[in-house]
Amino acid sequence: MPFMPVFLWSDVLLWSLLAGTLGLGWLSLRNALLRAAWRRVGRSRTAMASATLLVAFVVVGMLDSLHYRPRLEAQAEPSPTAAQSVSYGVEVLSALDAALRPLRTRHEKTYSEPLATRLYARESIEVDEGGGRIRQVRDFPRLRYGGEHLGGDESRRDGDIALRLLRALLIAALVWAAIAAVSVVALARRNDCSPGDAWSRIWRGDGGFAWDAVLVMLGVLLLLSTAVAMLASGYHVLGTDKVGQDVLYQVLKSVRTALVIGLLTTLLMLPLSIALGVLAGYFRGWVDDLIQYLYTTLSSIPAVLLIAAAVLMMQVLIDTHPQWFATAAERADLRLLALCFILGVTSWTSLCRLIRGETLKLRELEYIQAAQAFGVPDWRIIGRHILPNLMHIVIIALVMDFSSLVLAEALLSYVGIGVDPKMVSFGTMINNARLELAREPVVWWSLSAAFVFMFALVLAANLLADAVRDAFDPRLAEAA
């Protein structure tokens, strides 16, 4: 095989979570109440535009979760009698790395601005004046790869960029038109109407689903991705960092780290929050007192100090057992999972309080008291009556906590207690850009790129969370 598959624990958990999400989505469609709530989400233009953007982030993250080790090329011809052996590199790559190979391998010397053809700092350059005379001047050296196709005529850069953007616009328009046509035909067949009527219903919002928001956001994503792909083949679209690595490659690699932190930490936090919150609210008495004491004590400890202590202890464990890891990627992956576990253990208290309060209210309802009077076991009451009425809180917290955890990773990596320094994340990019803002001239593009991508991810998650809250909260649903 030209490669050897590598299964990191975070990859397995992410793909399992995706499969579980799809399974829960299919099951929710069979429940009338959940199906009605998700239909309310689907009618929201803001929610569907945000969901489309989140799907794009998820696609990038899942491509970055297919890891492998490339096969090493044979250095010499093997003898006929020698045993055939295959060697694989120690570097762990992903499907996203393979797709972005030009961005990953085209390194410059140091900083360069977005779409630039020269370095950002002056250097001493030897100029041949003819006749064997060499003169040293201070100038901005040419990049090795950025604008390489222009040759010595750098004046063609603006026209070349405009031509590439025009091509991207045409390609994006054709692809978007094809997708829109397929959507119109499918909607026309489903509603037994003409394509013209289906097209009008899409933009009037009469179809019960915000197709117009999905198509608009899809068009924006197609335009941006096509333009970036066209420009990236000849330039560094978002510039390069201190060691000459492409910033666009770094922000795309940071998406997976944000998804792992946001999704896996929430997955670890939910069982603890639900179990302890339901037990405290339903049984009350000494069980309630014990659980309240537990989360009150945990909440009184500064979160950053608690997380820092746990991360440092885990780092000591990793450093003292290097034999556990065959590659550096496995080492970084374990620290990432440890960070998810630590954040999950320290972040469950707020949701536990909400579930406890809601369970205390549900316990006093007449049908719960009637079930207790008839001798129905407590575990059956909790499973059939309490938990289903808590799902709207769980779903709302699941979506809203995602964005806060993404921001928490950026903060922790900024102060040096986040992910492994060799793993790219929004936090490590911001941390590395800290000193760049103090130099002259200011290197602004690394921080700006990380901020824009993280802002888009968190904003989309928050807007979708608002729509999910409005759809699943019974009080808001009744008011609507």
Side-chain angles (χ1 to χ4, degrees):
M1 292 179 63
F3 60 89
M4 181 178 70
V6 176
F7 300 98
L8 301 177
W9 281 109
S10 59
D11 296 340
V12 175
L13 292 174
L14 269 183
W15 285 103
S16 301
L17 183 60
L18 179 62
T21 302
L22 295 177
L24 289 176
W26 179 76
L27 290 176
S28 66
L29 294 178
R30 302 179 61 183
N31 185 292
L33 294 177
L34 292 178
R35 186 169 61 248
W38 284 116
R39 283 178 178 173
R40 288 194 291 270
V41 176
R43 287 194 293 267
S44 171
R45 288 184 172 90
T46 303
M48 288 301 96
S50 302
T52 305
L53 181 58
L54 286 177
V55 168
F57 279 112
V58 170
V59 169
V60 173
M62 300 314 292
L63 284 177
D64 203 18
S65 298
L66 296 171
H67 287 96
Y68 66 95
R69 290 168 62 181
R71 180 177 178 176
L72 296 177
E73 298 293 336
Q75 298 297 327
E77 290 293 332
S79 62
T81 58
Q84 294 289 337
S85 62
V86 179
S87 300
Y88 296 94
V90 296
E91 184 182 13
V92 178
L93 303 176
S94 67
L96 184 66
D97 291 322
L100 302 177
R101 188 175 184 277
L103 300 182
R104 180 174 61 87
T105 56
R106 296 187 307 175
H107 287 189
E108 304 293 349
K109 185 176 180 180
T110 183
Y111 297 112
S112 65
E113 283 186 300
L115 301 176
T117 58
R118 292 181 175 269
L119 291 178
Y120 195 56
R122 295 179 184 271
E123 293 183 359
S124 297
I125 304 175
E126 293 183 350
V127 178
D128 188 1
E129 296 182 340
R133 291 181 300 175
I134 303 296
R135 182 169 59 92
Q136 285 193 348
V137 297
R138 296 283 296 178
D139 199 359
F140 301 98
R142 279 294 301 269
L143 299 178
R144 293 178 57 190
Y145 301 103
E148 180 186 15
H149 61 286
L150 299 176
D153 189 6
E154 297 180 60
S155 61
R156 296 191 296 114
R157 191 199 69 160
D158 294 342
D160 180 67
I161 293 176
L163 182 60
R164 289 170 183 262
L165 291 177
L166 181 60
R167 291 175 181 173
L169 177 61
L170 294 176
I171 294 174
L174 291 176
V175 175
W176 184 87
I179 295 175
V182 172
S183 303
V184 168
V185 171
L187 188 61
R189 290 182 178 180
R190 179 180 178 182
N191 296 322
D192 194 17
C193 62
S194 65
D197 293 338
W199 179 258
S200 299
R201 293 183 64 179
I202 286 177
W203 298 106
R204 289 199 309 265
D206 296 339
F209 186 83
W211 287 109
D212 51 349
V214 174
L215 289 176
V216 169
M217 179 56 69
L218 194 59
V220 173
L221 291 176
L222 283 173
L223 180 59
L224 291 176
S225 59
T226 309
V228 168
M230 285 289 184
L231 293 173
S233 61
Y235 304 92
H236 298 288
V237 180
L238 298 179
T240 57
D241 62 1
K242 184 177 182 179
V243 297
Q245 192 174 26
D246 196 286
V247 174
L248 176 61
Y249 172 75
Q250 294 183 32
V251 293
L252 292 177
K253 291 287 289 184
S254 301
V255 171
R256 177 184 180 273
T257 307
L259 292 178
V260 170
I261 291 290
L263 296 177
L264 296 187
T265 304
T266 306
L267 184 64
L268 292 170
M269 178 184 64
L270 282 180
L272 194 61
S273 301
I274 295 173
L276 295 181
V278 170
L279 291 176
Y282 184 81
F283 291 104
R284 299 184 298 185
W286 67 270
V287 177
D288 187 18
D289 294 338
L290 179 62
I291 294 175
Q292 283 192 75
Y293 177 80
L294 178 62
Y295 67 62
T296 302
T297 303
L298 190 61
S299 300
S300 64
I301 304 174
V304 175
L305 295 180
L306 183 60
I307 294 171
V311 168
L312 291 176
M313 288 189 294
M314 177 58 65
Q315 187 61 40
V316 171
L317 179 65
I318 292 174
D319 292 339
T320 54
H321 296 85
Q323 69 277 8
W324 290 356
F325 315 103
T327 61
E330 296 179 5
R331 174 192 175 99
D333 187 68
L334 179 61
R335 175 163 174 171
L336 177 62
L337 292 180
L339 181 62
C340 293
F341 178 77
I342 294 166
L343 287 174
V345 170
T346 57
S347 305
W348 59 271
T349 55
S350 59
L351 179 58
C352 183
R353 285 193 183 98
L354 290 176
I355 292 179
R356 172 186 172 273
E358 189 71 13
T359 304
L360 284 172
K361 184 183 71 175
L362 293 173
R363 190 183 187 281
E364 303 301 324
L365 296 180
E366 294 178 353
Y367 67 91
I368 300 291
Q369 294 182 351
Q372 293 173 341
F374 278 105
V376 179
D378 292 331
W379 63 268
R380 191 177 183 88
I381 294 176
I382 292 174
R384 298 196 62 178
H385 301 296
I386 300 294
L387 286 178
N389 287 286
L390 295 174
M391 283 300 103
H392 68 281
I393 294 180
V394 174
I395 294 175
I396 293 169
L398 179 68
V399 183
M400 297 190 69
D401 287 343
F402 171 82
S403 57
S404 62
L405 290 169
V406 172
L407 296 175
E409 182 276 325
L411 173 63
L412 294 174
S413 296
Y414 176 76
V415 297
I417 56 174
V419 299
D420 191 274
K422 296 181 180 179
M423 178 173 287
V424 185
S425 71
F426 294 126
T428 55
M429 289 187 65
I430 294 173
N431 185 34
N432 294 334
R434 176 179 51 182
L435 298 178
E436 297 173 356
L437 297 178
R439 71 187 303 273
E440 181 63 34
V442 175
V443 178
W444 52 268
W445 49 88
S446 295
L447 179 63
S448 300
F451 171 78
V452 169
F453 273 73
M454 186 171 62
F455 175 78
L457 177 61
V458 173
L459 179 63
N462 284 341
L463 292 177
L464 181 61
D466 289 341
V468 171
R469 179 200 60 197
D470 295 342
F472 280 85
D473 194 329
R475 292 167 298 181
L476 296 177
E478 291 176 2

